[in-house]
Amino acid sequence: MMGSASRLVALLLLGSIAGVMGVSSAADVGTIFVASCVGSVVQKLVLFPIDTLKTRAQHDRATHHPIHGARRAAKPAAGTSVAAGPRRQDLLRAVRDLYRGLAPALIGVIPVSLVYMPVYELACAAAAAHLAPAYLPVGRVLAGSLAGLACSVVHAPISVLKNRLQVAQYADLRTAFLAVVEADGIRGFYRGWASDASLEVLSATVSFVALDRLRALAPTGLPIAPWRN
């Protein structure tokens, strides 16, 4: 849900830039795509350590084999001191460790962004063309659900690779990819897809309903300015 919020914030910011530069509106497909990419990258860079800690906590609880315990630095003996250099190295190592699995997450930004907002806009256009005005709110809710479902199909393989790197199951992205293909084929990338899809559908539905309510705050009969959209 934080990812959806960051994409909406990016739409707001780039909509303002579009207005200043004279671009038609923030609903332009190119602007939507760029905004989705910017929002996704910012969200992942800022929140990825939290996601790593969550994934590892879930793994530890499910397997009863903590994967991070061995990485803790040994405490110095009483009366000894630790040099600043090793301390900095340990800190940098810990930070890098929290960003394990970032590569597939960033690689997935483009395909997910290509699906997320465009699917919603196209579904809304189809709903407007085939539904009576009284049922348009329902059409928008369904459009948000469809966008979330489509996004989950693209996001599932990325999530599988990311999670396995985060828990140090594999050393690098190539090894993780080949191991999943060898073990289960394409189906291996969609393990746990149902739960992911449920979360994506709920997140997208809530986000787009909120977006439509905010758009409705624009003065009646007046075009929505890019910064307001």
Side-chain angles (χ1 to χ4, degrees):
M1 193 169 293
M2 289 182 179
S4 300
S6 63
R7 282 189 282 266
L8 296 181
V9 170
L11 279 172
L12 177 67
L13 294 175
L14 290 185
S16 302
I17 296 173
V20 172
M21 296 178 64
V23 179
S24 58
S25 74
D28 176 75
V29 174
T31 303
I32 289 174
F33 172 69
V34 174
S36 295
C37 290
V38 171
S40 294
V41 169
V42 171
Q43 174 245 332
K44 293 183 189 309
L45 290 176
V46 173
L47 300 178
F48 198 82
I50 298 175
D51 182 71
T52 298
L53 295 176
K54 178 212 68 172
T55 302
R56 290 178 179 177
Q58 291 173 333
H59 177 273
D60 291 353
R61 177 170 294 185
T63 62
H64 304 289
H65 294 293
I67 56 94
H68 54 278
R71 297 195 185 103
R72 292 175 181 170
K75 293 183 178 180
T80 62
S81 61
V82 180
R87 282 182 178 176
R88 285 195 295 269
Q89 292 176 1
D90 290 340
L91 179 60
L92 291 175
R93 189 179 301 111
V95 172
R96 287 197 300 267
D97 193 55
L98 288 175
Y99 279 92
R100 287 180 60 92
L102 180 63
L106 292 180
I107 292 172
V109 164
I110 292 178
V112 170
S113 298
L114 279 172
V115 169
Y116 192 73
M117 289 296 289
V119 167
Y120 174 73
E121 297 291 347
L122 290 172
C124 281
H130 296 91
L131 294 178
Y135 294 100
L136 284 182
V138 177
R140 294 191 185 98
V141 170
L142 294 176
S145 300
L146 181 61
L149 183 62
C151 188
S152 72
V153 173
V154 178
H155 185 259
I158 300 165
S159 181
V160 168
L161 294 174
K162 174 186 70 69
N163 291 345
R164 296 193 180 194
L165 289 173
Q166 283 176 316
V167 300
Q169 189 172 352
Y170 300 105
D172 54 65
L173 178 58
R174 180 177 180 274
T175 304
F177 178 84
L178 294 177
V180 173
V181 172
E182 182 179 354
D184 300 306
I186 298 300
R187 290 182 300 177
F189 291 104
Y190 287 91
R191 282 191 172 184
W193 174 74
S195 59
D196 271 351
S198 301
L199 180 61
E200 290 283 358
V201 167
L202 179 61
S203 173
T205 302
V206 171
S207 297
F208 284 123
V209 168
L211 176 62
D212 283 335
R213 295 306 302 167
L214 290 173
R215 284 174 172 173
L217 297 178
T220 305
L222 295 178
I224 303 177
W227 69 268
R228 188 184 294 274
N229 193 33

